[in-house]
Amino acid sequence: MKIYDDVRGAVDLCHRDGTLKQNVAKDPSKYIYQDENLVPLLQMLRKTGRSVFIVTNSLWDYTNVVMNYLLCGRVGKEKNLDWLQYFDVVITGSAKPAFFRTDSRSPLFEVDLKTGFLMNTDNGTPMIPIGAPDSMHDAGDLGIYGDGGKTNNHMAEDQKFCRVFQGGNFRHLHRLLDIPSGSQVLYIGDHIYGDILSSKKGMGWRTMLVVPELAFEVEVLEREKDTPETLRKIRKERDLLDDRIHKLEWQLQAADTDATHQLDSSKIEKDLEGLYRQKVHLKRMHSEGLKQYHQHFHPIWGQLMKTGVQNSRFASQVERFACLYTSHLANLTSYSPSKSYKALEDMMPNDFP
């Protein structure tokens, strides 16, 4: 427990003091995988009339660093705001999962794209500071009051870019994008609790979980596709053996309690000894085979979605709260934006022949 506390404390500290993000900003290529399919995907979604948004816990400065590299390959002084053209709304500092809570009353601020300063809004509508001209045009749109907006006028000069906010809650997002109901949203995230579970339970959003480890696991599943069937055959053979053992044990017990049963107890006991040995052998074969199979996925943790032969806790959460799951967001480029995804047929044990 002490090791956990130390590691958790160190991770939390490097998040709070900016150490982690500063190192990423210095060399994004060392930490961020750049996928050339992301921009075509975002363009396809926008061209087909879909609204695209970002909701992130990162603040504007770090979000700008990551998205510049991810979508435009720009770092350092080369950064600009071009990446915003692929989105309709960006919300930073969202404090997920609190962002998805129905009782959240977090205020929504607009971010000045040139300074990073925050400006008050009324559910996304700009609020004119006391003493400023009544006309936002006269005030330099959303510039910092005091210089007429000449220094920080992002709305006039950067009109082609989407608006960027900080804080707020899901109601603000629904208003900004005119979303009539949560079922109209497909939200894609990589955190089962912070992204998927909270948005699904709270607002009924459609959800897609990104699980990067799946790419490798699918390769292993294909390479070892015969192993699960071999293990199932061993389990079935062991189950049949158990049935035989139970039947003989019952016969032996019945012979001991009822003198009318004419059975050769010594023969039954001898048969049982042989069956017990077979059972131990099959159990060892299955355990060793299952262990080796899981080690193909990870030498310690094994297969991500399995605990032994049953679904892991993580897999149960994915099945319950993720409408879709995939190894990478860009996999969506293989499908039409209008594709309707159907749920798999549910099966009970008695449904199998």
Side-chain angles (χ1 to χ4, degrees):
M1 191 63 184
K2 180 60 177 175
I3 295 177
Y4 168 81
D5 292 337
D6 291 344
V7 172
R8 178 61 189 268
V11 172
D12 287 345
L13 178 61
C14 71
H15 271 83
R16 290 197 305 270
D17 66 11
T19 302
L20 179 65
K21 295 176 181 178
Q22 288 171 4
N23 279 279
V24 173
K26 290 178 182 177
D27 187 8
S29 63
K30 184 178 180 180
Y31 304 96
I32 301 175
Y33 172 70
Q34 194 176 28
D35 191 330
E36 60 184 11
N37 293 315
L38 278 181
V39 169
L41 172 61
L42 295 171
Q43 291 174 329
M44 176 181 69
L45 293 173
R46 297 292 302 282
K47 288 178 180 178
T48 53
R50 273 73 177 176
S51 295
V52 184
F53 65 87
I54 292 178
V55 176
T56 175
N57 287 352
S58 298
L59 299 180
W60 164 247
D61 55 348
Y62 185 67
T63 302
N64 192 35
V65 168
V66 172
M67 299 308 295
N68 257 285
Y69 176 75
L70 196 59
L71 299 181
C72 305
R74 295 192 176 96
V75 297
K77 295 182 179 180
E78 298 177 351
K79 298 194 306 292
N80 58 30
L81 302 176
D82 287 351
W83 65 270
L84 288 171
Q85 66 185 292
Y86 303 115
F87 300 94
D88 294 275
V89 170
V90 172
I91 297 182
T92 63
S94 62
K96 296 180 295 183
F99 182 87
F100 302 124
R101 291 179 53 175
T102 56
D103 60 349
S104 174
R105 295 293 182 268
S106 298
L108 184 70
F109 302 96
E110 185 155 11
V111 178
D112 187 284
L113 301 183
K114 291 186 176 179
T115 65
F117 292 158
L118 303 181
M119 295 164 285
N120 292 318
T121 72
D122 181 10
N123 292 320
T125 302
M127 296 178 64
I128 302 175
I130 295 175
D134 291 338
S135 169
M136 293 302 294
H137 178 74
D138 294 339
D141 293 321
L142 292 181
I144 302 302
Y145 178 62
D147 66 356
K150 296 177 182 178
T151 303
N152 306 306
N153 181 2
H154 78 269
M155 288 296 287
E157 183 178 348
D158 303 317
Q159 191 64 44
K160 64 178 180 178
F161 301 127
C162 73
R163 298 169 70 188
V164 179
F165 298 90
Q166 178 174 312
N169 55 64
F170 74 93
R171 294 187 184 86
H172 294 124
L173 180 66
H174 282 200
R175 292 191 189 98
L176 289 167
L177 295 178
D178 294 323
I179 299 172
S181 67
S183 62
Q184 301 298 307
V185 177
L186 174 60
Y187 181 62
I188 304 169
D190 62 359
H191 195 287
I192 186 65
Y193 180 73
D195 290 320
I196 305 303
L197 186 151
S198 302
S199 60
K200 179 72 172 181
K201 290 183 66 176
M203 298 92 66
W205 282 7
R206 307 295 187 182
T207 55
M208 173 183 279
L209 177 66
V210 177
V211 187
E213 295 87 350
L214 275 180
F216 173 72
E217 294 220 346
V218 169
E219 292 179 5
V220 176
L221 287 169
E222 177 62 26
R223 189 171 66 244
E224 301 292 329
K225 59 184 177 182
D226 295 331
T227 304
E229 181 59 27
T230 300
L231 293 172
R232 277 191 289 269
K233 288 180 179 179
I234 296 176
R235 281 173 58 85
K236 186 174 182 179
E237 187 177 352
R238 193 179 65 183
D239 290 341
L240 293 174
L241 194 63
D242 275 335
D243 290 339
R244 292 177 60 191
I245 290 174
H246 295 155
K247 184 177 180 179
L248 289 176
E249 288 176 338
W250 179 82
Q251 289 177 349
L252 192 61
Q253 184 179 12
D256 292 339
T257 57
D258 187 351
T260 62
H261 281 75
Q262 301 297 320
L263 295 175
D264 187 349
S265 298
S266 60
K267 183 179 184 305
I268 293 177
E269 291 174 351
K270 185 176 181 180
D271 290 343
L272 279 172
E273 288 179 5
L275 294 176
Y276 289 148
R277 286 193 295 269
Q278 286 183 253
K279 181 179 178 180
V280 171
H281 175 67
L282 289 174
K283 184 177 180 180
R284 184 184 300 112
M285 281 182 58
H286 185 269
S287 297
E288 292 176 355
L290 186 62
K291 181 179 179 180
Q292 291 174 5
Y293 177 65
H294 277 293
Q295 287 179 336
H296 288 300
F297 297 92
H298 190 280
I300 298 175
W301 310 119
Q303 191 175 357
L304 180 65
M305 297 291 187
K306 292 291 183 182
T307 300
V309 297
Q310 296 185 323
N311 285 347
S312 63
R313 172 66 174 167
F314 177 70
S316 298
Q317 291 181 322
V318 171
E319 189 174 34
R320 183 177 178 186
F321 298 110
C323 301
L324 301 169
Y325 67 100
T326 183
S327 62
H328 200 281
L329 168 63
N331 289 338
L332 286 174
T333 56
S334 301
Y335 303 92
S336 166
S338 301
K339 178 178 175 57
S340 178
Y341 296 89
K342 304 295 193 299
L344 295 175
E345 179 183 1
D346 289 332
M347 300 289 285
M348 293 290 289
N350 61 286
D351 293 325
F352 293 93

